[in-house]
């Protein structure tokens, strides 16, 4: 069965932003997030970017509320809010996402992600933490009214060598998740594409 994909005008490029909650360098989480961002960009015209918590932390922890953020922290939050499609990844800590990642989304306007597409990524120390995608990350973006891609991508230690992706199964899931992501209707970007074609 052939999946429907967006017919996107070249002038209406998809804004794809990866967000990695990994706190180590090199990071397995960042490797998977990057791979998914690139996989999406292979399927639709896209402008891509990446926010790494390790680099963003000084800016987003400058304040416990949005009003207390400095200019650099506000710029990071606005990048998240303005993206058409998010690829959000986290290492598993205490059976959940990282606290630093949660703080970033605590600062995002609760209305800003409504209807937007989100790809979910997690990495952990064993294969047994994969359900964090369903029990932690998916409900978080359900609160925002975002549309999460059905296929989540979980990486266990055997999927990597020196933080590089080597597992055949995870490579297959990355491809499948990216295809699903561009097959979901994203109202904000679809409207932009239509407006470009009509205008």
């Amino acid at each position: 069965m052939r999946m429907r994909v967006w017919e996107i005008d070249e002038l209406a490029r998809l804004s794809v932003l990866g967000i990695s909650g990994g706190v180590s360098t090199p990071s397995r989480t960042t490797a998977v997030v990057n791979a998914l961002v690139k996989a999406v960009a292979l399927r639709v015209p896209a402008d891509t970017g990446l926010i790494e918590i390790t680099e963003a932390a000084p800016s987003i922890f400058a304040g416990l509320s949005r009003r207390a953020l400095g200019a650099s922290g506000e710029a990071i939050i606005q990048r998240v809010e303005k993206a058409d499609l998010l690829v959000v990844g986290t290492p598993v800590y205490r059976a959940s996402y990282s606290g630093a990642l949660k703080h970033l989304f605590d600062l995002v306007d609760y209305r800003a992600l409504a209807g937007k597409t989100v790809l979910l990524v997690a990495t952990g120390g064993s294969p047994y933490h994969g359900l964090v995608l369903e029990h932690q990350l998916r409900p978080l973006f359900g609160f925002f009214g975002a549309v999460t891609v059905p296929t989540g991508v979980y990486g266990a230690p055997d999927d990597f060598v020196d933080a590089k992706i080597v597992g055949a199964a995870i490579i297959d899931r990355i491809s499948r998740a990216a295809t699903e992501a561009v097959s979901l209707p994203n109202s904000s970007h679809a409207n932009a594409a239509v407006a470009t074609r009509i205008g």
Side-chain angles (χ1 to χ4, degrees):
M1 178 178 170
R2 186 176 179 180
M3 301 185 75
R4 180 184 59 81
V5 298
W6 286 320
E7 294 180 0
I8 299 177
D9 190 290
E10 278 291 334
L11 296 177
R13 298 173 67 86
L14 193 68
S15 170
V16 181
L17 180 64
I19 303 171
S20 172
V23 295
S24 60
T25 304
S27 166
R28 293 180 300 176
T29 303
T30 301
V32 182
V33 169
N34 261 328
L36 268 166
V37 168
K38 291 176 181 178
V40 171
L42 286 173
R43 289 160 171 78
V44 292
D47 295 315
T48 63
L50 176 68
I51 293 172
E52 294 188 72
I53 288 294
T54 51
E55 297 178 1
S59 297
I60 64 172
F61 279 101
L64 297 179
S65 69
R66 182 90 175 245
R67 292 190 300 273
L69 290 180
S72 60
E74 176 63 25
I76 289 170
I77 301 304
Q78 287 192 23
R79 284 184 70 193
V80 175
E81 293 176 342
K82 292 177 180 178
D84 298 310
L85 185 151
L86 297 175
V87 180
V88 181
T90 181
V92 178
Y93 290 117
R94 305 294 194 270
S96 188
Y97 38 73
S98 69
L101 185 71
K102 178 61 163 59
H103 181 64
L104 186 154
F105 282 100
D106 282 344
L107 300 172
V108 170
D109 189 294
Y110 72 94
R111 299 158 294 190
L113 306 184
K116 294 189 178 182
T117 302
V118 181
L119 280 149
L120 304 178
V121 173
T123 58
S126 82
Y128 303 111
H129 298 297
L131 285 176
V132 72
L133 295 166
E134 305 303 323
H135 297 307
Q136 299 292 327
L137 283 176
R138 213 175 290 280
L140 171 64
F141 292 101
F143 164 80
F144 284 103
V147 179
T148 53
V149 174
T151 296
V153 180
Y154 179 79
D158 290 347
D159 294 315
F160 304 90
V161 172
D162 297 328
K164 294 182 180 179
I165 302 167
V166 297
I170 191 172
I171 291 171
D172 178 67
R173 288 185 72 82
I174 288 168
S175 177
R176 189 191 328 162
T179 298
E180 290 175 359
V182 300
S183 301
L184 290 172
N186 180 306
S187 58
S188 61
H189 190 265
N191 290 341
V194 170
T196 302
R197 288 195 295 271
I198 293 175

